[in-house]
Amino acid sequence: MSLIRPVPRRWFWSHDIQPNQIDALTMPGMRLHRLSNYRRGTRDARRFAALYHDDGGADAPPRTWLIDADATTASEHAPHAVAVTVDVTPDKTATSFTLVLDDTDTDPARTLHTDLTADDLTALLDEGRAVVDLATYRRDDTRLFAAIVEPRPGHLALFFPALRTAEIRPTLTAHKALPTRARAYHSPAGWQLAVVAEPADRARWWVRLDVDADDVSHEIERHSAYPLDLDATGHGLGVRFAVIAAR
């Protein structure tokens, strides 16, 4: 499956979703594109952000999801997983994985890899794999990644694990690439972005990180674009978003 997709006719996104509220967002003709887990506030309240596209129209079956699976269980569902997000408990003792599942898009060779370093993920892509989705998390003071990947002979997938805001466009433009996944995280050096990209010489795109919910909508509308990818990160008492907009 290519992450460079046709422009959806309709889309919407939401945030501050409790785990038991995801089902209430399902609407005919709209398919869940991505869930993003985050924790916020003094009590580390658990929430999700969700992005929906109108893939396939009214006849397309809705996607399902699997919340808080361990790595082994999540890996068993990888052949029909199209998105992954990770939750690390506030006491840092447990890590769980949430998947978006699509029974109409199954590839027996699709796999989920967890606890990857940046070098580990780069090595996977060097072996002729494409990234279906990506998540990042921190455990034991180490930046780690979870990735759904699938074989795609001849495909060039680019991975940049730590781009600052000012580096994003010059870096991707130099490679004539379109960002398809962007995962923001806060480091001692400030906000950084892990980016997966594919060759796309003439694509028009924008990446915004460290923005609030109002800014997400404003940036998309300002560029007359649609959200290709969305991620949420708890930061302090609030939540910050990273979004790829394309047209």
Side-chain angles (χ1 to χ4, degrees), residues 26 51 66 70 74 84 90 95 108 113-114 143 155 166 180 182 203 212 217 223 241-242:
T26 301
L51 174 62
L66 176 67
D70 59 30
V84 59
T95 303
H113 300 259
T114 63
R143 173 61 49 189
H155 176 79
T180 55
D212 63 20
S217 298
H223 292 295
F241 297 92

Side-chain angles (χ1 to χ4, degrees), residues 175-189:
H175 289 82
K176 297 181 179 179
L178 166 73
T180 55
R181 295 291 181 263
R183 303 290 169 254
Y185 58 92
H186 199 266
S187 72

Side-chain angles (χ1 to χ4, degrees), residues 1 4 10 12 21 25 31 42 53 64 71 79 83 114 128 136 140 151 155 171 177 186 194 202 206 216 232 245:
M1 58 180 294
I4 301 176
R10 295 177 296 149
F12 77 90
Q21 295 175 327
L25 293 174
R31 307 187 80 202
T42 57
H53 288 163
T64 58
T114 63
T136 186
D140 298 330
H155 176 79
T171 300
H186 199 266
R202 297 185 179 181
W206 299 264
V216 170

Side-chain angles (χ1 to χ4, degrees), residues 4-117:
I4 301 176
R5 49 147 298 140
V7 177
R9 295 169 301 171
R10 295 177 296 149
W11 57 268
F12 77 90
W13 76 284
S14 184
H15 68 102
D16 203 29
I17 307 164
Q18 297 185 40
N20 63 357
Q21 295 175 327
I22 299 172
D23 189 59
L25 293 174
T26 301
M27 294 191 300
M30 302 299 294
R31 307 187 80 202
L32 181 60
H33 185 66
R34 187 162 197 275
L35 282 172
S36 180
N37 173 91
Y38 61 94
R39 290 180 180 267
R40 63 167 177 78
T42 57
R43 297 185 179 182
D44 287 311
R46 176 83 177 282
R47 295 291 186 269
F48 287 95
L51 174 62
Y52 289 79
H53 288 163
D54 66 339
D55 293 329
D59 294 333
R63 287 172 168 170
T64 58
W65 49 89
L66 176 67
I67 296 179
D68 289 345
D70 59 30
T72 299
T73 302
S75 295
E76 292 171 352
H77 289 80
H80 56 281
V82 295
V84 59
T85 188
V86 183
D87 181 60
V88 179
T89 56
D91 61 8
K92 314 299 183 185
T93 60
T95 303
S96 61
F97 302 86
T98 292
L99 304 177
V100 177
L101 306 174
D102 188 344
D103 289 335
T104 69
D105 181 12
T106 299
D107 183 346
R110 190 178 300 160
T111 53
L112 171 67
H113 300 259
T114 63
D115 293 351
L116 298 171
T117 65

